[in-house]
Coordinates of all heavy atoms in Angstrom, one line a residue:
G155 N 0.8 -1.2 0.0 CA 0.0 0.0 0.0 C 0.8 1.3 0.0 O 0.4 2.3 0.4
R156 N 2.1 1.2 -0.5 CA 3.0 2.3 -0.5 C 3.4 2.6 -1.9 O 3.6 1.8 -2.7 CB 4.2 1.9 0.4 CG 3.9 1.5 1.8 CD 3.8 2.7 2.7 NE 5.0 3.6 2.7 CZ 6.1 3.3 3.4 NH1 6.1 2.2 4.2 NH2 7.2 4.1 3.4
L157 N 3.7 3.9 -2.1 CA 4.3 4.5 -3.3 C 3.5 4.2 -4.6 O 4.0 4.2 -5.7 CB 5.7 3.9 -3.5 CG 6.7 4.1 -2.3 CD1 8.1 3.5 -2.6 CD2 6.8 5.6 -1.9
L158 N 2.2 4.1 -4.4 CA 1.3 4.0 -5.5 C -0.1 4.5 -5.0 O -0.6 4.0 -4.0 CB 1.1 2.5 -6.0 CG 0.1 2.3 -7.1 CD1 0.6 3.0 -8.4 CD2 0.0 0.8 -7.4
P159 N -0.6 5.6 -5.6 CA -1.9 6.1 -5.1 C -3.0 5.1 -5.2 O -3.0 4.2 -6.0 CB -2.2 7.3 -6.1 CG -0.8 7.6 -6.6 CD -0.1 6.4 -6.7
H160 N -4.0 5.3 -4.3 CA -5.1 4.4 -4.2 C -6.3 4.9 -5.1 O -7.1 4.1 -5.5 CB -5.6 4.3 -2.8 CG -4.6 3.7 -1.9 ND1 -4.1 2.4 -1.9 CD2 -3.9 4.3 -0.8 CE1 -3.2 2.2 -1.0 NE2 -3.0 3.3 -0.3
D161 N -6.3 6.2 -5.5 CA -7.4 6.7 -6.3 C -7.1 6.3 -7.8 O -5.9 6.2 -8.2 CB -7.6 8.1 -6.1 CG -6.4 8.9 -6.6 OD1 -5.3 8.9 -5.9 OD2 -6.4 9.6 -7.6
L162 N -8.1 6.2 -8.6 CA -7.9 5.7 -10.0 C -7.1 6.7 -10.8 O -6.2 6.3 -11.5 CB -9.3 5.6 -10.6 CG -9.3 5.0 -12.0 CD1 -8.7 3.6 -12.1 CD2 -10.7 5.0 -12.6
A163 N -7.3 8.0 -10.6 CA -6.6 9.0 -11.4 C -5.1 9.0 -11.0 O -4.2 9.0 -11.9 CB -7.2 10.4 -11.3
G164 N -4.8 9.0 -9.7 CA -3.4 9.0 -9.3 C -2.7 7.7 -9.6 O -1.5 7.8 -10.0
R165 N -3.4 6.6 -9.6 CA -2.8 5.3 -9.9 C -2.4 5.3 -11.4 O -1.3 4.9 -11.8 CB -3.8 4.2 -9.6 CG -3.3 2.8 -10.0 CD -4.4 1.8 -9.7 NE -4.1 0.5 -10.2 CZ -3.4 -0.4 -9.5 NH1 -3.0 -0.2 -8.3 NH2 -3.2 -1.6 -10.0
A166 N -3.3 5.8 -12.3 CA -3.1 5.9 -13.7 C -1.9 6.8 -14.0 O -1.1 6.5 -14.9 CB -4.3 6.3 -14.4
E167 N -1.8 7.9 -13.3 CA -0.7 8.8 -13.5 C 0.7 8.1 -13.2 O 1.6 8.2 -14.0 CB -0.8 10.0 -12.6 CG 0.1 11.2 -12.9 CD -0.6 12.0 -14.1 OE1 -1.6 11.6 -14.6 OE2 0.1 13.0 -14.4
V168 N 0.8 7.4 -12.1 CA 2.0 6.7 -11.8 C 2.3 5.6 -12.8 O 3.4 5.4 -13.3 CB 1.9 6.1 -10.4 CG1 3.1 5.1 -10.1 CG2 2.0 7.2 -9.4
L169 N 1.3 4.8 -13.1 CA 1.5 3.6 -14.0 C 1.9 4.0 -15.4 O 2.8 3.3 -16.0 CB 0.2 2.7 -14.0 CG -0.1 2.0 -12.7 CD1 -1.3 1.1 -12.9 CD2 1.1 1.2 -12.2
Q170 N 1.4 5.1 -15.9 CA 1.8 5.4 -17.3 C 3.3 5.8 -17.3 O 4.0 5.5 -18.3 CB 1.0 6.5 -17.9 CG 1.0 7.9 -17.2 CD 0.1 8.9 -17.8 OE1 -0.3 8.7 -18.9 NE2 -0.2 9.9 -17.1
W171 N 3.8 6.4 -16.3 CA 5.2 6.8 -16.2 C 6.1 5.6 -15.8 O 7.2 5.5 -16.3 CB 5.4 7.9 -15.3 CG 5.0 9.2 -15.9 CD1 3.8 9.8 -15.7 CD2 5.7 10.0 -16.9 NE1 3.7 10.9 -16.5 CE2 4.9 11.0 -17.3 CE3 6.9 9.8 -17.5 CZ2 5.2 12.0 -18.2 CZ3 7.3 10.8 -18.4 CH2 6.5 11.8 -18.8
L172 N 5.5 4.6 -15.1 CA 6.2 3.4 -14.9 C 6.4 2.6 -16.2 O 7.6 2.2 -16.5 CB 5.5 2.5 -13.9 CG 6.0 1.1 -13.7 CD1 7.4 1.0 -13.1 CD2 5.0 0.2 -12.9
F173 N 5.4 2.6 -17.0 CA 5.5 1.9 -18.3 C 6.3 2.7 -19.3 O 7.0 2.1 -20.1 CB 4.1 1.6 -18.8 CG 3.4 0.5 -18.0 CD1 2.1 0.8 -17.6 CD2 4.0 -0.7 -17.6 CE1 1.4 -0.2 -16.8 CE2 3.3 -1.6 -16.9 CZ 2.0 -1.4 -16.5
W174 N 6.3 4.0 -19.1 CA 7.2 4.8 -20.0 C 8.7 4.4 -19.7 O 9.5 4.3 -20.7 CB 7.0 6.3 -19.7 CG 8.0 7.2 -20.3 CD1 7.9 7.7 -21.6 CD2 9.2 7.8 -19.7 NE1 8.9 8.6 -21.8 CE2 9.7 8.6 -20.7 CE3 9.8 7.6 -18.5 CZ2 10.9 9.3 -20.5 CZ3 11.0 8.3 -18.2 CH2 11.5 9.2 -19.2
Q175 N 9.0 4.2 -18.5 CA 10.4 3.8 -18.2 C 10.7 2.4 -18.7 O 11.7 2.2 -19.4 CB 10.7 3.8 -16.7 CG 12.1 3.5 -16.3 CD 12.4 2.0 -16.3 OE1 11.6 1.2 -15.7 NE2 13.5 1.6 -16.9
V176 N 9.8 1.5 -18.5 CA 10.0 0.1 -18.9 C 10.1 -0.1 -20.4 O 10.9 -0.8 -20.9 CB 8.9 -0.8 -18.3 CG1 8.9 -2.2 -18.9 CG2 8.9 -0.8 -16.8
A177 N 9.2 0.7 -21.1 CA 9.2 0.6 -22.6 C 10.2 1.5 -23.3 O 10.5 1.2 -24.4 CB 7.8 0.8 -23.1
G178 N 10.6 2.6 -22.6 CA 11.3 3.6 -23.4 C 12.7 3.9 -22.7 O 13.7 3.5 -23.3
L179 N 12.7 4.5 -21.6 CA 13.9 5.0 -21.0 C 14.9 3.8 -20.7 O 16.1 3.9 -21.1 CB 13.7 5.7 -19.7 CG 14.9 6.2 -18.9 CD1 15.7 7.3 -19.8 CD2 14.5 6.9 -17.6
G180 N 14.4 2.7 -20.2 CA 15.3 1.6 -19.9 C 15.9 1.0 -21.1 O 17.2 0.9 -21.3
P181 N 15.1 0.6 -22.1 CA 15.7 0.0 -23.3 C 16.6 0.9 -24.1 O 17.6 0.5 -24.6 CB 14.4 -0.4 -24.1 CG 13.4 -0.6 -23.1 CD 13.6 0.4 -22.0
M182 N 16.2 2.1 -24.2 CA 17.0 3.1 -25.0 C 18.3 3.4 -24.3 O 19.4 3.4 -25.0 CB 16.2 4.3 -25.3 CG 15.0 4.1 -26.2 SD 15.3 3.4 -27.8 CE 14.8 1.7 -27.6
A183 N 18.3 3.7 -23.1 CA 19.5 3.9 -22.3 C 20.4 2.7 -22.3 O 21.6 2.8 -22.3 CB 19.2 4.4 -20.9
G184 N 19.7 1.5 -22.2 CA 20.5 0.3 -22.2 C 21.2 0.1 -23.5 O 22.4 -0.3 -23.5
Q185 N 20.6 0.3 -24.6 CA 21.3 0.2 -25.9 C 22.4 1.3 -26.0 O 23.5 1.0 -26.6 CB 20.3 0.3 -27.1 CG 19.3 -0.8 -27.2 CD 20.0 -2.2 -27.4 OE1 21.0 -2.2 -28.1 NE2 19.5 -3.2 -26.8
N186 N 22.1 2.4 -25.5 CA 23.1 3.5 -25.5 C 24.4 3.0 -24.7 O 25.5 3.1 -25.2 CB 22.5 4.7 -24.8 CG 23.4 5.9 -24.7 OD1 24.6 5.8 -24.8 ND2 22.8 7.1 -24.6
G187 N 24.1 2.5 -23.5 CA 25.3 2.0 -22.8 C 26.0 0.8 -23.5 O 27.2 0.7 -23.4
H188 N 25.2 0.0 -24.1 CA 25.9 -1.2 -24.8 C 26.8 -0.7 -25.9 O 28.0 -1.1 -25.9 CB 24.8 -2.1 -25.4 CG 25.4 -3.2 -26.2 ND1 25.9 -4.4 -25.5 CD2 25.6 -3.4 -27.5 CE1 26.4 -5.2 -26.5 NE2 26.2 -4.6 -27.6
F189 N 26.3 0.2 -26.8 CA 27.2 0.6 -27.9 C 28.3 1.5 -27.5 O 29.3 1.6 -28.1 CB 26.3 1.2 -29.0 CG 25.5 0.1 -29.7 CD1 24.2 -0.1 -29.5 CD2 26.2 -0.8 -30.6 CE1 23.5 -1.0 -30.2 CE2 25.5 -1.8 -31.3 CZ 24.1 -1.9 -31.1
N190 N 28.1 2.3 -26.4 CA 29.1 3.2 -25.9 C 30.2 2.5 -25.1 O 31.3 2.9 -25.1 CB 28.5 4.3 -25.1 CG 28.1 5.5 -25.9 OD1 29.0 6.2 -26.5 ND2 26.9 5.9 -26.0
V191 N 29.8 1.5 -24.3 CA 30.7 0.9 -23.3 C 31.1 -0.5 -23.6 O 32.3 -0.9 -23.5 CB 30.0 1.0 -21.9 CG1 30.9 0.4 -20.9 CG2 29.7 2.4 -21.5
Y192 N 30.1 -1.4 -24.0 CA 30.4 -2.8 -24.1 C 30.7 -3.4 -25.5 O 31.3 -4.4 -25.6 CB 29.2 -3.6 -23.5 CG 29.0 -3.3 -22.0 CD1 27.9 -2.6 -21.6 CD2 30.0 -3.6 -21.0 CE1 27.7 -2.3 -20.2 CE2 29.8 -3.4 -19.7 CZ 28.6 -2.7 -19.3 OH 28.4 -2.4 -18.0
A193 N 30.2 -2.7 -26.5 CA 30.4 -3.2 -27.8 C 31.9 -3.4 -28.2 O 32.7 -2.5 -27.9 CB 29.7 -2.3 -28.9
P194 N 32.3 -4.5 -28.8 CA 33.7 -4.7 -29.1 C 34.2 -3.8 -30.2 O 35.4 -3.6 -30.3 CB 33.7 -6.2 -29.5 CG 32.3 -6.5 -30.0 CD 31.4 -5.6 -29.1
E195 N 33.3 -3.2 -31.0 CA 33.7 -2.2 -32.0 C 32.8 -1.0 -31.9 O 31.6 -1.2 -31.6 CB 33.7 -2.9 -33.4 CG 32.4 -3.4 -33.8 CD 32.4 -4.1 -35.2 OE1 32.4 -3.3 -36.2 OE2 32.5 -5.3 -35.2
K196 N 33.3 0.1 -32.2 CA 32.5 1.3 -32.2 C 31.7 1.4 -33.5 O 32.2 1.3 -34.6 CB 33.3 2.6 -32.1 CG 34.1 2.7 -30.7 CD 33.1 2.7 -29.6 CE 33.8 2.9 -28.2 NZ 32.9 2.9 -27.1
V197 N 30.4 1.5 -33.4 CA 29.5 1.7 -34.5 C 28.9 3.1 -34.4 O 27.9 3.3 -33.7 CB 28.4 0.6 -34.5 CG1 27.5 0.7 -35.7 CG2 29.0 -0.8 -34.3
P198 N 29.4 4.0 -35.2 CA 29.0 5.4 -35.1 C 27.5 5.6 -35.2 O 26.9 6.4 -34.4 CB 29.8 6.1 -36.2 CG 31.0 5.3 -36.3 CD 30.5 3.9 -36.1
Y199 N 26.8 4.9 -36.2 CA 25.4 5.1 -36.3 C 24.7 4.7 -35.1 O 23.7 5.4 -34.6 CB 24.9 4.3 -37.6 CG 23.4 4.4 -37.7 CD1 22.8 5.5 -38.2 CD2 22.6 3.4 -37.2 CE1 21.4 5.6 -38.3 CE2 21.2 3.4 -37.2 CZ 20.6 4.5 -37.8 OH 19.2 4.6 -37.9
A200 N 25.0 3.6 -34.5 CA 24.3 3.1 -33.3 C 24.5 4.0 -32.1 O 23.6 4.3 -31.4 CB 24.8 1.6 -33.0
I201 N 25.8 4.4 -32.0 CA 26.0 5.3 -30.9 C 25.2 6.6 -31.0 O 24.6 7.1 -30.0 CB 27.6 5.6 -30.8 CG1 28.3 4.4 -30.4 CG2 27.8 6.8 -29.8 CD1 29.8 4.5 -30.5
E202 N 25.2 7.2 -32.2 CA 24.5 8.5 -32.4 C 23.0 8.2 -32.2 O 22.3 9.1 -31.6 CB 24.8 9.0 -33.8 CG 24.1 10.3 -34.0 CD 24.3 10.9 -35.4 OE1 24.9 10.1 -36.3 OE2 24.0 12.1 -35.7

């Protein structure tokens, strides 16, 4: 019962931003990190 509103509108507000992170920020930043840090060769198009 913590860190998530109990009312429908407040809950929807939190969940859309939770899913924004899961679907967008995490995967995109993860690929960013992969091509910048872990890739064995630099691929300029992917990095950009």
Side-chain angles (χ1 to χ4, degrees):
R156 301 277 301 279
L157 304 182
L158 178 65
H160 299 291
D161 65 290
L162 184 61
R165 179 184 172 89
E167 195 81 355
V168 168
L169 292 183
Q170 65 183 339
W171 285 97
L172 171 64
F173 292 131
W174 173 84
Q175 183 281 311
V176 170
L179 178 62
M182 295 301 104
Q185 292 299 322
N186 184 334
H188 176 81
F189 285 106
N190 268 297
V191 179
Y192 298 112
E195 61 183 278
K196 295 298 182 182
V197 183
Y199 174 81
I201 292 171
E202 182 181 13

